[in-house]
Structures are given as C-alpha cells and as structure tokens.
C-alpha cells in the first residue's frame, strides 16, 4: 500500500495522544487532536486514484472540523451543536461512501441482514429512550444524530455481507467502534460522568477512523492496481 508511512505516523501520534489523555493532561488537546485526522487524510490523498477517494476525503474533512469545534465546548453549547452537525455530515457522507463501494455478491444473506438490522434498531431505540429524559432542548438533534449513525452502521453491516475480505470486516469494525465512541460521549455528557471518558472516546474514535480508511483502501486496491 502506497504511503503507508502516513498510517504509521497516525498510529504513533494517536498512541502518544492517548497516553497523554490517560495521564490526565487533557489540555494538550489543542495541540495534538487537530493534527491526527489530517495525517491519515494525507495518506488517502496521496494514494492512487480510486472511485470513492473524494467521498472518503470529504468524510475525513468534516470529521476533522468536528474534532476542532468540539475542543471549544466549554465556551458554550453552540460549539457542541456545531460539532454535532459536522459529525452528522461526516456520517451521512460515510453512508454515501459505503453505498458506492463495489459488491462481490449480488445478494447478501437476508436472514443475517434482518437479524443485524433488528439489533441496530434496538440499539437506536434503547439509546434514545435511555437518554431522552436528560437531553433537554437537544432531544431532536440528538435523536437525528443517533438515527444517522445507526443508518451508517447498517450500511456498513450490509457491506460486511457483500464486500470482499478483509476490507469488509475492517470497515464494519470501524463503523461499530464509531458507534461505541459516540455512545460513550453521549452517556458522559448527558447522563453521568465516565472516568477517563476522553481516553475511551478517543481510543474508539481514532481506531474507528483508521479501520474505515484502511478498509476502504483495501476494497479499492484491486481495482486500482488493474
């Protein structure tokens, strides 16, 4: 894979960042967090051309914007809402991206897809119902966001059933970790503080982005190299 050093740098900086977070030095967010997604983004940018390259880059750009905006949530609720909108946009783009990827099987296993869809729906209903009493004026925005990330996971799950290996597992695992990251963030913000929440949120988030990117590149590798 070309320019693999970008992904190694991303992992190295991510580990450094996580060590800083778990050590309690969260004030270094302003210096380290904004550079992480651009590093892996450069890895995608300098990769060979493939059909969904611009879509993937767009999702990373909006994720990066969300990262930067959320650094200022202590200054007002508006920054949380703007960050939510940025990540909402990124998730919508990921839905589009997953739908654009080539399929190696014409039909997925319908019974498995239905079972997985039910589990995702139960997550959505359960999470929204659990948080609803604590959301205040953010009931509608958070419900919309939870719905979109659930749809994103559903697209990834459908892809898991029809894309080639190992890209299908990487992308689905990344989407799943994205859900976990957002769930930890939501519970920590609206329900009750979670010890070392920043560490766990960023651990799952950074790994999610890495797995999705690497999975997408693997799914496009054969087509690119032909």
């Amino acid at each position: 894979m070309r320019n693999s050093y970008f992904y190694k740098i991303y992992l190295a900086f991510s580990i450094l960042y996580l060590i800083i977070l778990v050590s309690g030095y969260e004030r270094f967010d302003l210096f380290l967090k904004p550079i992480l997604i651009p590093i892996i983004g450069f890895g995608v940018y300098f990769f060979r051309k493939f059909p969904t390259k611009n879509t993937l880059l767009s999702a990373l750009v909006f994720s990066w914007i969300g990262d930067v905006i959320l650094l200022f949530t202590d200054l007002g609720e508006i920054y949380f809402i703007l960050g939510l909108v940025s990540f909402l946009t990124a998730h919508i783009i990921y839905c589009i991206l997953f739908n654009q990827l080539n399929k190696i099987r014409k039909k997925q296993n319908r019974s498995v897809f239905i079972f997985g869809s039910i589990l995702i729906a139960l997550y959505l209903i359960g999470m929204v119902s659990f948080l609803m009493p604590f959301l205040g004026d953010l009931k509608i925005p958070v419900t919309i966001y939870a719905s979109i990330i659930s749809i994103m996971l559903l697209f990834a799950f459908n892809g898991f059933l029809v894309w080639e290996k190992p890209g299908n597992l990487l992308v689905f695992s990344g989407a799943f970790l994205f859900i976990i990251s957002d769930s930890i963030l939501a519970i920590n913000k609206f329900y009750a503080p979670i010890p070392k929440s920043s560490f766990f949120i960023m651990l799952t988030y950074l790994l999610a982005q890495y797995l999705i990117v690497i999975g997408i590149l693997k799914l496009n590798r054969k087509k690119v190299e032909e």
Side-chain angles (χ1 to χ4, degrees):
M1 187 178 289
R2 290 179 64 187
N3 298 318
S4 60
Y5 61 89
F6 279 109
Y7 313 118
K8 294 176 182 177
I9 294 173
Y10 172 81
L11 289 176
F13 271 85
S14 294
I15 292 171
L16 174 62
Y17 177 58
L18 292 171
I19 291 173
I20 289 173
L21 285 182
V22 80
S23 301
Y25 297 102
E26 297 185 11
R27 62 183 179 276
F28 286 99
D29 265 6
L30 289 171
F31 304 101
L32 279 176
K33 190 177 181 181
I35 70 172
L36 296 174
I37 294 302
I39 292 173
I40 201 170
F42 279 123
V44 175
Y45 180 79
F46 289 111
F47 192 75
R48 301 180 183 95
K49 288 185 178 180
F50 57 92
T52 57
K53 182 175 182 178
N54 289 336
T55 311
L56 176 56
L57 285 172
S58 297
L60 291 175
V61 167
F62 278 99
S63 295
W64 174 75
I65 293 173
D67 282 342
V68 173
I69 292 175
L70 289 179
L71 289 172
F72 303 98
T73 51
D74 290 341
L75 300 180
E77 195 72 16
I78 184 63
Y79 291 98
F80 177 77
I81 295 174
L82 291 175
L84 200 71
V85 171
S86 295
F87 275 108
L88 179 68
T89 305
H91 286 306
I92 292 173
I93 296 173
Y94 272 130
C95 289
I96 295 171
L97 171 62
F98 297 161
N99 191 53
Q100 290 175 338
L101 293 173
N102 292 329
K103 301 173 176 59
I104 63 171
R105 291 183 289 275
K106 292 183 179 179
K107 294 182 179 180
Q108 85 279 73
N109 186 316
R110 184 159 295 276
S111 60
V112 174
F113 178 73
I114 292 174
F115 178 72
S117 300
I118 292 173
L119 290 180
I120 293 171
L122 289 175
Y123 156 79
L124 173 61
I125 295 171
M127 180 58 71
V128 172
S129 299
F130 174 73
L131 292 176
M132 191 61 69
F134 311 100
L135 296 179
D137 295 335
L138 294 178
K139 287 184 174 66
I140 294 178
V142 171
T143 300
I144 292 173
Y145 185 86
S147 300
I148 294 298
I149 63 172
S150 298
I151 293 171
M152 184 271 293
L153 182 61
L154 183 62
F155 271 92
F157 180 66
N158 178 65
F160 173 73
L161 299 176
V162 298
W163 298 330
E164 67 179 352
K165 300 176 181 179
N168 63 337
L169 178 59
L170 292 172
V171 173
F172 174 68
S173 298
F176 183 75
L177 286 173
F178 229 134
I179 292 284
I180 293 177
S181 179
D182 285 339
S183 298
I184 297 172
L185 187 153
I187 292 172
N188 181 73
K189 179 175 179 59
F190 297 112
Y191 179 66
I194 298 174
K196 302 293 183 182
S197 60
S198 296
F199 170 78
F200 292 112
I201 291 168
M202 293 307 298
L203 171 65
T204 48
Y205 168 71
L206 294 172
L207 186 55
Q209 294 282 27
Y210 176 79
L211 291 175
I212 290 174
V213 167
I214 298 302
I216 296 298
L217 296 185
K218 285 186 177 295
L219 288 172
N220 283 279
R221 184 174 55 187
K222 285 188 177 181
K223 188 177 184 65
V224 169
E225 293 176 348
E226 289 174 354

